[in-house]
Amino acid sequence: MNQPDDWIDILQQLRTAGTPCVLLTVLNEKGSVPRGDGTKMVVTAGETWLTIGGGNLEFQCIAQARTMLQAQETMPHLEHIALGARTGQCCGGMASVLFEPLLSPRPSVVVFGAGHVGQALVNLLSTLPCQVTWVDERPGMFTAAPSGVICRQVDDPNDEVRCATPGSYFVVMTHHHPRDLELAETILRRDDYRYFGLIGSRTKRQRFDYRLEGKGIAAHKLAKMRCPVGLPDVKGKLPAEIAVSIAGELIAVWQQDA
């Protein structure tokens, strides 16, 4: 398979997964350079595909692409790079590299808990323009997971909080209150999430506030925790009703960022 087909396939896979990336293209070159015009490379926050020649040139371009992703830049950028002292390469030529940020990231929603409400919520979220990761420590809970949902059966769900991308949306509704408390603490210690909703009553909220304060969580961080979770005007207690309430609140938050 030739290179153009490779990068097109890669971009399609990233689009399906909702993963933001930067497409690098060598537009023109003068003198001796590692790769010629039209050579492409794809960079995400954690992976790369193809190559624009390796070496320090490629290393610097990857770093710049990831800086653009971190800053959520949307405009293309053309960089003229001399392959000499700046890049630590002795080719002596000049390469012009186009950086194209692609795929405005869809909201990344991490749902903890695969009980009845979790199932109803994930089924609903799977129909919306977001990337859903579904986490539960119990085996056999994801037999009816909707297409496109990433399922994680893990021993410690807190690890999924730690590795989530910045700006993630967290919804906690596990089968175990102590696990909810652990996850709440781990989430609240992050400063880069967009939303955190915890299922439960006002009484549960008061108890968690008291315990989390005792663990050193500041009041301004506790104020970011949505508990009870969901739109307050939706009063129903059925799993589907609770799921609609939570999904509605998530939509309202991510539309504010649009």
Side-chain angles (χ1 to χ4, degrees):
M1 186 180 293
N2 60 31
Q3 181 168 298
D5 287 336
D6 283 344
W7 68 264
I8 291 172
D9 291 344
I10 291 162
L11 292 184
Q12 182 58 49
Q13 291 171 10
L14 293 173
R15 179 181 295 277
T16 299
T19 304
C21 67
V22 177
L23 176 65
L24 309 183
T25 306
V26 178
L27 289 187
N28 56 67
E29 23 81 27
K30 296 180 181 179
S32 178
V33 297
R35 291 288 189 275
D37 294 0
T39 303
K40 295 183 183 293
M41 183 176 189
V42 180
V43 179
T44 68
E47 295 182 86
T48 65
W49 291 263
L50 310 178
T51 179
I52 56 170
N56 209 27
L57 165 68
E58 184 168 294
F59 177 80
Q60 291 186 19
C61 287
I62 292 171
Q64 181 164 335
R66 287 177 173 160
T67 297
M68 296 174 72
L69 289 170
Q70 182 69 28
Q72 298 186 4
E73 295 184 24
T74 59
M75 297 299 296
H77 171 71
L78 183 61
E79 185 82 9
H80 303 287
I81 305 170
L83 304 182
R86 177 183 169 187
T87 59
Q89 292 179 252
C90 58
C91 300
M94 173 77 73
S96 295
V97 181
L98 178 65
F99 295 75
E100 294 179 90
L102 301 173
L103 307 174
S104 297
R106 295 184 295 172
S108 176
V109 184
V110 187
V111 178
F112 295 90
H116 294 305
V117 178
Q119 292 174 29
L121 177 61
V122 167
N123 278 314
L124 180 54
L125 292 177
S126 70
T127 68
L128 298 173
C130 61
Q131 178 59 62
V132 182
T133 301
W134 197 9
V135 183
D136 201 293
E137 60 204 271
R138 298 168 292 175
M141 299 300 294
F142 303 120
T143 55
S147 175
V149 172
I150 300 171
C151 298
R152 305 286 196 206
Q153 192 264 306
V154 295
D155 293 332
D156 185 0
N158 290 282
D159 290 339
E160 297 299 316
V161 177
R162 299 183 185 102
C163 70
T165 58
S168 291
Y169 295 67
F170 296 111
V171 182
V172 174
M173 49 177 63
T174 79
H175 64 293
H176 195 40
H177 277 214
R179 179 64 80 188
D180 285 355
L181 183 64
E182 291 176 6
L183 287 166
E185 180 182 358
T186 306
I187 293 167
L188 291 171
R189 292 195 185 281
R190 289 190 62 149
D191 294 321
D192 59 355
Y193 65 89
R194 182 64 184 87
Y195 171 94
F196 167 34
L198 171 68
I199 198 167
S201 64
R202 296 188 183 279
T203 299
K204 180 178 179 178
R205 171 64 189 247
Q206 292 171 352
R207 290 174 178 171
F208 272 41
D209 280 351
Y210 176 78
R211 293 179 181 178
L212 290 166
E213 284 176 358
K215 293 176 178 290
I217 304 296
H220 73 276
K221 292 190 174 184
L222 287 171
K224 295 178 65 178
M225 180 173 68
R226 290 284 303 172
C227 182
V229 66
L231 298 174
D233 291 338
V234 180
K235 307 294 186 182
K237 300 300 183 183
L238 295 174
E241 293 171 323
I242 298 171
V244 167
S245 172
I246 297 171
E249 186 167 83
L250 287 167
I251 292 169
V253 174
W254 72 55
Q255 286 185 347
Q256 292 173 5
D257 301 329

